[in-house]
Structure formats: structure tokens, C-alpha cells
Amino acid sequence: MIRTCFLFLVSICALSAQPAYDLLLKGGHVIDPKNGVSKVMDVAIAGGKIARVAENIPASQAKTVADVSGLYVTPGLIDIHVHVYAGTGRKALTGDSSVYPDGFSFRTGVTTMVDAGTAGWRNFPDFRERVIDRARTRVLALLNIVGGGMGPDGEDNPRDMDPEAAAKMAKSHPEIVVGFKTAHFNGEGWPSIDHAVQAGKLTDLPVMVDFGYITKERNLTTLLGDKLRPGDIYTHCYSGHREELLESGKLNPAMEVGRKRGIFFDVGHGAGSFYWYVAIPAYQQKFPPDSISTDLHTGSMNAGMKDMVNVMSKVLNLGSSMEDVIRMSTWNPAKQIKRPQLGHLDVGAGADVTVLRLDRGNFGFIDSAGARSGGTRMLDCEMTIRAGRVVWDLNGRAAQDWKNFQYRKRPRPDKK
Ligand SMILES: [Zn+2]
């Protein structure tokens, strides 16, 4: 009995000697818009979760301490418009024009990506098996209302738009599917919008709209004033392709009407959907976006768009504050896709965290047409933490010096 008690005491002592936290991000400026935080604080992570956010958490309480002073510490970024249905061999967005999520997410601070309708209600299981379930990035999806998604057959065939089938597929994958998407429609009438909204109604999920090609009948006034529901998302809000900005230079009044009705406006930069001649007047007329997203695909990433932090830098230079830019890329998109467990640093939340560096100088930013606008501030990603693990560390802030590092010899793989 005495011996048991003694062992018990010894094990308690051993436990208390162990650092409480796996990782401590020390000295950074924390911006956590959901919790109204914007000040220098430390963030402690344990067991893959946010354990504590406070001033002056002792370094001795953590196994690893990363000095992030002079940098911004934010919730892991959420990019709600990407195309990541890669690897099928097709010459379409459902293939060669998509990218694999992990190759582009962490290096730019993104921990959650939402595929915006690359797969439709019919080919979603293939997308999930091929990409989503194999990625370390959290990948969620908006299901295209067209069964084949953004495949070689295009998105104009109303007979392939099936709200019941889309709703059924969404309900069988509730942990991944966060809504529906319609895009690129160039047919007659409103079938793409009406069917997508119907799928949204059947599931109580939002619809993201790329409004395709407008006609006299199919215009922004009817879309934003009547067809879409509060909570639906209008992406490509600075494209100008759908008269977002009128020829007079005034913002289309339908945009304000939509905002008042509770429709969200998303950047969706892409290769053809963000232009300075639209974004700058829109900002001057006090119309910032609700969410920042990239519309990442092979056509946009090497052109003006580049990556999430570049698009965030553009919004910063347009005149939004750092706090608003972080809100637009964390808590706002989390709310838009109805995932309130994401996009903040609540104690107990999954530890998805991004560390950003804000450089000051003379920079240039390119829009989808290739036109440049100068700016004085540029964000870059220093560190990304996904579920408590460091998955991107530009300057080795969480790494050990090589002189103290315990190198191990590479084992020889077993011969088959
Ligand atoms: Zn897109």
C-alpha cells in the first residue's frame, strides 16, 4: 500500500514536471475578430487544441516555443473559393485546371479550403475519395447544381441540374458539403439559380453564385433583390461582368439592396473576376467585401491572383484595416458556410493558427486583366499550424537549432 502511494506521488510529480503545452506562440499580435481581440498576446496549444490565449504565458510551460514577436497571429485562414478536384486526367476544372490542396494551402496560411462547385452532385464521391479524404488541409465543398460539375460538358444543361439529387448527396456527406454552387451559366432563363436555391432550401444550406452571363431578363436587380436568400453568397463581387459597377461609375444599387437583405459578397479573385477599375470605385463608395477568397486554379495562381495572402494584401491596400482583413478571411467565411467551430481562437477550438508578416514598402499588385496598382503593405505567411501541428514554418521558428538536433540515420526500407 505504501509502495503504491509512493509510486502514485512519483507519477504526479513526473506529470507536473512535463510542460503543459505542446507549442507556445510567443509575443505576436493576436487578431481574433470573433472574440474582439487585437493586441499582443501569447497563444498556447495542447493536444491539437487552443489551450490558452493570454499575456505573458511562461515559456517554461511549453515543449516548443516559437518567437513570433513583430508578427500577426490569427485563426487559420479559410478560403471559401478554390478548385481542387485534381488528378482525373480531364482537361477541365475537374482535372488539369485544379490543384491539389496541400500543395497550395499551408504555404499561404490557409488551413480550410472550400471547393466551389468543381464537383457536382454526381461526381462528388469520386472527388471525395480522390482528393478530400487524402488531404491534410481541411477541404469542404459546395456541390455544383450541375451533376458533372465543372467538367468538359459545361454548366448550361438544365436537365443535369437536379435539386433533389444534390440535396441527397449533401445530406449523405454532411461533414464535407457546406452548400451549393452555380457558375458560368450561359443558357436561357433562371434554371441554374432556381435549382441551386431549391437545393439550398431542401438542406438549409447556402448557395454560392457565380452569375455567369447576364441577359436583359437575368440581371443583378432580380438576383440580389428577389432570387437569392439571406445567407447566400455572391462571389466575384468586383468582376464587373454583371454590371456590379454601372457605366456611370456608380455601384449598381442592387449590390446595396442585396447587402441589406443579408446576402454575402465574396471576392473570388480568380483569373477573370477582380479588376481595379471595379474594386477601387466600389471601395470609394464604401462597399468592402464580406469575405476574401482566391478562386485558386492553375489559370489564376500564376497570374494576378497568386495566393490568399496576396488577395488579402490587395484588400488591405484598398483601405480595410488588418482587423477587417482577418475577419474577412476567418470568422466571416466560417459563418457564411455555417461552420462556427472554425475561424477563431476560442479555448478548446481545434488549433488551426496562422502567423503573418506585414511588410511595409513599395509593392505592386496585379488584377485579373494584368493591370497594376501600387501599395505600401504586403502580407506573407510565416507559419501555419493545422490541428496543433506546424505544417509551414518559413523561418524555422518552431524548429531546433541543428547543433542540438537529434539526427537519426535513415533506415533502409524493407525489400519486398
Ligand atoms: Zn471559381
Side-chain angles (χ1 to χ4, degrees), residues 2-18:
I2 289 169
R3 193 183 145 83
T4 318
C5 284
F6 176 71
L7 278 177
F8 181 65
L9 277 174
V10 167
S11 57
I12 283 189
C13 290
L15 272 179
S16 60
Q18 283 282 318

Side-chain angles (χ1 to χ4, degrees), residues 81-83 93 116 150 181 183-184 210 235-236 268 295-297:
H81 189 153
V82 302
H83 297 283
L93 274 162
M150 299 181 179
K181 174 88 186 282
H184 311 136
D210 161 331
T235 193
H236 306 318
D295 192 2
L296 171 71
H297 54 81

Side-chain angles (χ1 to χ4, degrees), residues 155-175:
E155 294 165 83
D156 287 347
N157 182 4
R159 286 191 301 281
D160 204 25
M161 299 171 186
D162 187 336
E164 278 80 22
K168 196 172 163 212
M169 186 59 76
K171 283 177 182 168
S172 11
H173 299 270
E175 65 284 10

Side-chain angles (χ1 to χ4, degrees), residues 18-24 59-65:
Q18 283 282 318
Y21 307 123
D22 300 324
L23 176 63
L24 180 62
S60 59
Q61 292 182 4
K63 286 181 203 139
T64 302
V65 179

